[in-house]
Amino acid sequence: MTENHDRKLKRFKASVNAEIEEQIEQIEQQAMDEKAQILKATEDRILNDSYIRIQKAVKEIEGKYRRMSALHEQELRTEVLKHRNTLVKMIFAFVEQRINGFVNSQEYEKFLVKQLENENIKGAVIKVSEKDLKYKQTLEKASGCKVEADGDIVLGGIALFFEEKGIIIDKTFDSALDEQKQTFSSRYSFKASEN
């Protein structure tokens, strides 16, 4: 009987041990599964955080380079405008030089007289530059009008001043050049030629 009892006890012990082993294996498997889930969740969270940081860094870098690009573009525009203004000044300096060449030529006196043609100049005072007063007699003889110097006329030409009517007919090179300067930008643009 003791033997039987010992066998039963051994079988019971073996059965309990097998059950304990099975439960240990289940607990270990659950622990491994939980560990894998925790590691996966942690890895996903870290990857998501890293992705968010990378996206933020990319946006900051893009913003930085966009600002740098806009600043550089503005600097280039400023340089282009400066260069354009230099070219415009050169063009108008050349035009003034050509006007001065014409004003100092023999044809200029005839030009001044011709400016009076086709104008109703009765009662007008002819305004000229200080340097053009040398043509005073010629202009008075051709027009029958009084000729006076006008400090505002520098380049040349004539202005007809009708005091009674309060009208000025401006045929000076000064006003013509000013008008051209004002309309130059809208009429002409400088474009790079393509080769």
Side-chain angles (χ1 to χ4, degrees):
M1 202 168 126
T2 7
E3 232 176 82
N4 203 3
H5 188 49
D6 278 343
R7 242 186 291 145
K8 280 185 183 181
L9 188 59
K10 279 184 183 180
R11 269 190 289 175
F12 177 71
K13 210 176 177 185
S15 170
V16 169
N17 282 340
E19 199 174 304
I20 290 173
E21 287 291 325
E22 188 179 320
Q23 284 182 355
I24 289 173
E25 281 181 26
Q26 285 178 354
I27 291 171
E28 283 178 349
Q29 186 60 45
Q30 283 178 343
M32 293 298 278
D33 290 347
E34 277 185 42
K35 178 183 170 185
Q37 286 177 349
I38 290 170
L39 285 174
K40 176 78 171 118
T42 303
E43 183 181 350
D44 288 348
R45 186 177 46 80
I46 290 171
L47 286 173
N48 189 42
D49 289 349
S50 297
Y51 177 78
I52 290 169
R53 283 191 203 132
I54 289 169
Q55 290 301 316
K56 184 179 177 185
V58 165
K59 285 180 184 176
E60 287 174 0
I61 291 169
E62 284 176 347
K64 176 184 172 185
Y65 283 105
R66 240 184 267 119
R67 285 188 299 275
M68 286 172 59
S69 176
L71 181 62
H72 184 65
E73 188 175 325
Q74 184 62 36
E75 288 170 354
L76 290 176
R77 281 191 188 128
T78 301
E79 286 300 314
V80 166
L81 285 175
K82 284 180 184 177
H83 185 65
R84 185 180 190 282
N85 286 339
T86 300
L87 291 175
V88 168
K89 285 178 183 177
M90 287 172 54
I91 289 168
F92 283 105
F94 178 73
V95 170
E96 282 187 39
Q97 185 181 9
R98 295 289 303 262
I99 290 171
N100 285 328
F102 176 67
V103 166
N104 293 318
S105 72
Q106 292 179 346
E107 293 85 33
Y108 181 60
E109 185 176 13
K110 293 175 194 168
F111 170 80
L112 290 175
V113 172
K114 192 165 178 90
Q115 291 290 85
L116 299 171
E117 292 177 8
N118 301 324
E119 292 291 341
N120 182 4
I121 58 174
K122 186 176 180 186
V125 175
I126 300 170
K127 302 282 188 168
V128 295
S129 68
E130 293 280 341
K131 63 184 177 187
D132 288 346
L133 278 178
K134 61 186 173 187
Y135 305 117
K136 181 176 179 175
Q137 287 181 344
T138 304
L139 291 171
E140 284 178 345
K141 184 178 177 184
S143 66
C145 298
K146 185 177 176 182
V147 176
E148 295 178 354
D150 185 337
D152 291 335
I153 302 173
V154 177
L155 294 175
I158 62 170
L160 302 172
F161 178 63
F162 298 90
E163 191 172 357
E164 289 178 15
K165 298 177 186 175
I167 297 173
I168 297 175
I169 298 174
D170 194 340
K171 295 183 167 199
T172 62
F173 293 133
D174 302 71
S175 64
L177 190 62
D178 283 343
E179 188 178 311
Q180 287 302 313
K181 284 179 182 177
Q182 290 174 7
T183 59
F184 185 81
S185 294
S186 60
R187 282 190 193 164
Y188 304 103
S189 64
F190 297 106
K191 294 184 180 174
S193 61
E194 295 180 18
N195 294 333

